[in-house]
Amino acid sequence: MKWPTHESDDTEKWLSETLEAARQRTGDEVARRRIWARLEGLLSDKSLPLLRGRSLALPALTGALVAVGAVAVLWLVPATRFTHSSAKRAAPAVAPVAQPGPVASKVVSQELSAAPVRTGRGEKARVALVGGAGVELDANSVLSWDAERRPSVERGQARFEVPHQAPGARFAVSAGPYVITVVGTKFHVGVDDDRVSVEVEQGVVEVWRGARSFRLVQGDSWAGPIRGLEAVGGERRPSLASASLRRASSADTPVPVENGPASVELTAARSALKEGRSEDALVMLTHCAKGVGPAAENAAYEMGRVLRDGLSRPRAAVVAWVTYRTRFPKGLLRAEADLSILETLARVGDKAAALSEAQAFLSRYPNSERRDEVATLAARLRGATGP
Amino acid sequence: MNQQNPAESQRPRPVADDQALVERFRNGDPLAWRTLYERYSQPVFRFVSALGVPPEEREDAAQDVFVAVFRGLRQFRGEAQLSTWIYRIAARHASHLGRRRRMRSFLSILPWHEAEPEPQPDPAEKASELRLLDRLLAKLSPKKRMVLVLFEIEGLGVNEIANVMGCPPNTVWSRLRHARAELVKAARRITT
C-alpha cells in the first residue's frame, strides 16, 4: 500500500515528497571515494579490528601503523627507484607473486608493497592496484613502481582494467619514457627492447611524454620508440611525432599537443580553488579552457565543478558540462561530465531531465562500473516522474 | 497480510549476482570487492544518514561498516541476501553510534563536562526539507525509525526487514504502522 495515502493533505504531500528526496540522497561522492582509498590501506592489514571512529585505541593503533608503514616505505623506496636499464640488475625485494600454471592471483598494495612483479615463461599474474584497478601480466613480463609510485611496465605485456576515478583524478601507468593516463578504461601496454605499445580495449587514454601528449580511443593502437630511455639525464629522447600510430577506427591522426603554459594555468587554478578562491579559479579555468589540448579540456570540465561546488550555481555548472561535451564529444572526461550533469540535475530537482540523462548514460555506457548506481537513480526518477 | 513493499519492485536488480560477486571475492578477485563497494556504498551512506548518524560521523560510520563486511564476507553463508546482511551490519553499527551519542549528550549536561557541539549540516545537502525530516525521524524510537527507514526509504520488504532486525514480520508491520502515525503527527505539529 502506498503511503502517505492522502496526498491532498498538505502535510502528507510534504512527507511524500520529502521521503522521495531522502530516497535520492546520494551522499557525497568524494567522501565515498575517500572511504575507498582509506579502506584499501586499512584492509591490507588483516589483523586490524573493526574500527570505532573515536575510540581511544584507534589513534594509538593508527599511529603505530603509520609509523611502521613509514619505516617500511622508507626502507622499500630506494629499492624501487630504478630505471629500465637498472631494472635488469635489480634483485626483487620480495619473492615474485607469479606462480606457474593458471593465472596466479595476489593482491599487491601499491602503497605498501613496492617489489616488482615478474612472470617467467608460461606464467601469468594478476595484481590489484590502488584505486580499484587491476592488471594482468602476461608471461615474461615485469611490473614495478616508478619514483612517483605509478605502476610501470618494465617489460612484456600487461592488460590494465581501471575503474572510473574520482572526478578530477587520473590513473597513470608509465612505460619506458611514456606515461599513459586514464580516467577509467581497459587497455594493454607492451614493452620490448626498443618500443612501447598501447592498445585501447575500452574508453580513452592519453599518452604523455614530458609536456607533449596525444589521445587514443577505443580500438586504437600505437607504438613508439623506447630508444633514449637510459638517457634520462639529458641525452636525445625520441619525439612523439616519430612514434607510429595506427588508427583502427578513424582516419584523423591525432597530433601531439604542447601543454606547457596551459598546464601551468590549470595548476594555478587548482591552487586557487584549494585556497577557497573559487571566483579566481573560475576566471583562470575559463581562460585556460579557451586553449587547446588536454589542459584546456580539463579546465572546461573543472569549470563545472567550481560553479556547482564552489559557487553554488548548479544550473550554470550543467551549462558548463554540456558545453564541455559538445566541444569534446569523445573527451577523456566525457563520462564524468555525463555523470556530473545527471547528478546535478537530480540534485536541483529537474527529474525529467535527470531521467533522460540517466537513460542516455545507460545506453551509452552499458558496461560502466557506475551502471548499477545510475540504474538505481533512473528507477527512482522513473517512479518520481510517473509513466 | 500483503508483505510486499511497493517500492521493492522498483529496486533495480544487480547486473552481476551478489552471490557470484561473493564467490569471486573468495577466489581472490580484487575487482569483485571494488564492485561490491560501488554497489553498496551509496545505500549504506543513505541508510546511516537516515538513521540519524550526523554528517561529520557518516564517513567513519560507512567505513566501519565496510571493514566489518570485508572481514565477514568469507564467512557469509548466503542464507540471507547479501543486502540484508549488509543492512544488518549497518543497522547495528548505527545503533551503537546512537547509544554513544546519547551517552555523550547525557554526560554533556554534567557541570564539569564540556558540552557537545551541535551537529553541522552536511554542505552537500542543501535541502532544508531533508534536515527537517531527520529531525522528525529523531522523534521516533530507534526501532520504529529503523523499520520506517528500511521500508519507506530503502524499499525493503517486510520479511527482509524482519531478517535485518531479527523480529517477526508482524512486529515489523506493527512498528511500521505506529511509526507512520507518529511521523505524520509530528509533521503536522511542525507544518501547521
Side-chain angles (χ1 to χ4, degrees):
Chain A
M1 183 177 67
K2 191 178 182 309
W3 179 84
T5 45
H6 304 100
E7 294 221 0
S8 53
D9 176 305
D10 281 350
T11 304
E12 294 202 12
K13 189 178 176 199
W14 176 85
L15 256 182
S16 175
E17 287 170 359
T18 311
L19 282 168
E20 182 55 39
R23 285 178 204 119
Q24 290 175 27
R25 181 147 58 177
T26 54
D28 180 354
E29 173 65 23
V30 177
R32 286 205 303 276
R33 301 282 163 198
R34 221 165 27 224
I35 294 170
W36 172 256
R38 292 205 316 242
L39 278 173
E40 285 203 310
L42 285 168
L43 297 177
S44 57
D45 177 10
K46 301 278 190 282
S47 63
L48 197 66
L50 175 61
L51 299 176
R52 299 289 174 218
R54 290 178 177 76
S55 68
L56 290 174
L58 177 61
L61 192 59
T62 309
L65 276 173
V66 168
V68 170
V71 170
V73 166
L74 284 174
W75 182 67
L76 286 169
V77 161
T80 63
R81 284 190 177 171
F82 52 80
T83 61
H84 179 74
S85 53
S86 63
K88 291 172 183 167
R89 299 189 301 271
V94 295
V97 299
Q99 294 165 13
V103 176
S105 177
K106 175 164 181 172
V107 175
V108 176
S109 165
Q110 193 173 341
E111 298 297 330
L112 298 177
S113 172
V117 179
R118 297 165 187 271
T119 53
R121 196 172 163 192
E123 292 176 335
K124 288 187 175 183
R126 184 181 293 165
V127 183
L129 303 170
V130 165
V135 53
E136 283 179 16
L137 271 187
D138 235 335
N140 292 320
S141 302
V142 179
L143 179 81
S144 70
W145 282 267
D146 68 11
E148 293 179 44
R149 318 296 296 156
R150 295 182 294 228
S152 171
V153 182
E154 298 283 334
R155 191 184 66 218
Q157 298 287 327
R159 176 181 177 273
F160 287 84
E161 199 167 329
V162 182
H164 266 285
Q165 304 293 293
R170 291 193 174 196
F171 179 92
V173 176
S174 66
Y178 302 96
V179 174
I180 301 129
T181 67
V182 297
V183 172
T185 184
K186 294 175 186 171
F187 62 102
H188 300 252
V189 177
V191 178
D192 61 22
D193 287 342
D194 56 3
R195 65 173 204 153
V196 170
S197 62
V198 180
E199 193 172 333
V200 182
E201 191 180 315
Q202 191 184 87
V204 185
V205 307
E206 273 174 9
V207 181
W208 288 73
R209 182 166 179 147
R212 295 166 71 82
S213 71
F214 63 85
R215 184 164 297 171
L216 300 173
V217 299
Q218 187 170 326
D220 282 352
S221 59
W222 162 91
I226 207 167
R227 239 178 349 197
L229 168 66
E230 48 282 303
V232 174
E235 287 182 28
R236 183 182 68 84
R237 293 182 186 183
S239 70
L240 276 177
S242 66
S244 66
L245 181 69
R246 175 167 58 82
R247 301 276 290 183
S249 57
S250 164
D252 56 329
T253 304
V255 179
V257 178
E258 282 291 354
N259 286 289
S263 293
V264 171
E265 194 161 23
L266 187 60
T267 309
R270 285 172 179 162
S271 301
L273 201 57
K274 271 186 192 164
E275 291 161 10
R277 295 184 289 118
S278 301
E279 293 282 2
D280 292 347
L282 185 62
V283 170
M284 285 185 254
L285 288 173
T286 307
H287 186 257
C288 184
K290 286 177 183 163
V292 291
E297 185 195 330
N298 286 350
Y301 170 78
E302 289 187 27
M303 279 171 65
R305 291 178 60 209
V306 175
L307 283 163
R308 187 187 66 182
D309 304 331
L311 299 170
S312 302
R313 291 166 57 194
R315 294 279 181 192
V318 170
V319 171
W321 283 315
V322 169
T323 308
Y324 165 88
R325 69 181 180 190
T326 308
R327 191 171 159 208
F328 303 100
K330 290 183 180 174
L332 193 64
L333 297 162
R334 168 68 196 262
E336 292 300 321
D338 290 346
L339 278 169
S340 300
I341 291 170
L342 163 59
E343 195 180 277
T344 310
L345 287 171
R347 207 186 281 183
V348 298
D350 193 343
K351 290 173 186 168
L355 178 58
S356 158
E357 285 290 334
Q359 286 165 338
F361 184 92
L362 292 173
S363 103
R364 186 178 173 87
Y365 312 100
N367 300 317
S368 166
E369 56 136 17
R370 308 282 292 272
R371 187 188 162 79
D372 287 359
E373 191 184 322
V374 175
T376 307
L377 183 58
R380 291 203 170 120
L381 289 166
R382 212 170 286 123
T385 51
Chain B
M1 194 179 288
N2 177 21
Q3 300 196 339
Q4 181 77 23
N5 183 348
E8 206 180 359
S9 58
Q10 291 174 13
R11 284 170 70 197
R13 295 294 156 210
V15 178
D17 181 47
D18 276 349
Q19 197 54 43
L21 275 177
V22 173
E23 280 308 313
R24 278 172 52 197
F25 171 82
R26 284 178 179 150
N27 292 331
D29 181 350
L31 297 180
W33 169 238
R34 170 76 188 212
T35 308
L36 283 172
Y37 177 78
E38 289 293 338
R39 185 170 291 174
Y40 286 105
S41 59
Q42 202 166 305
V44 165
F45 224 87
R46 186 177 56 227
F47 184 49
V48 297
S49 305
L51 288 184
V53 175
E56 65 274 15
E57 289 183 24
R58 283 175 200 164
E59 221 172 296
D60 279 348
Q63 178 182 308
D64 287 357
V65 169
F66 279 100
V67 170
V69 168
F70 184 91
R71 294 266 186 270
L73 212 46
R74 286 186 194 284
Q75 283 77 47
F76 175 66
R77 294 188 299 273
E79 289 165 359
Q81 289 181 48
L82 182 69
S83 59
T84 308
W85 182 67
I86 293 176
Y87 274 120
R88 197 183 298 157
I89 291 173
R92 276 190 199 151
H93 191 54
S95 301
H96 163 79
L97 292 176
R99 282 194 300 276
R100 207 174 60 177
R101 248 187 341 270
R102 284 192 292 278
M103 177 58 79
R104 281 209 307 257
S105 165
F106 167 73
L107 289 174
S108 69
I109 61 171
L110 299 176
W112 60 84
H113 199 285
E114 197 179 332
E116 274 286 297
E118 279 291 306
Q120 293 300 305
D122 184 347
E125 289 175 12
K126 294 193 173 65
S128 57
E129 281 80 8
L130 278 178
R131 291 204 288 274
L132 187 54
L133 178 69
D134 284 341
R135 274 173 49 204
L136 293 176
L137 289 172
K139 293 180 189 298
L140 302 178
S141 73
K143 285 177 180 171
K144 287 180 196 161
R145 179 179 193 162
M146 194 170 293
V147 167
L148 192 112
V149 166
L150 285 170
F151 193 90
E152 298 294 350
I153 296 177
E154 297 303 319
L156 267 58
V158 167
N159 285 335
E160 198 175 352
I161 297 174
N163 274 332
V164 171
M165 299 189 67
C167 65
N170 282 343
T171 307
V172 173
W173 274 120
S174 165
R175 284 178 188 161
L176 181 64
R177 199 173 57 248
H178 287 293
R180 284 170 164 178
E182 286 175 29
L183 190 67
V184 171
K185 202 172 161 187
R188 267 190 221 297
R189 224 174 287 142
I190 286 179
T191 55
T192 56

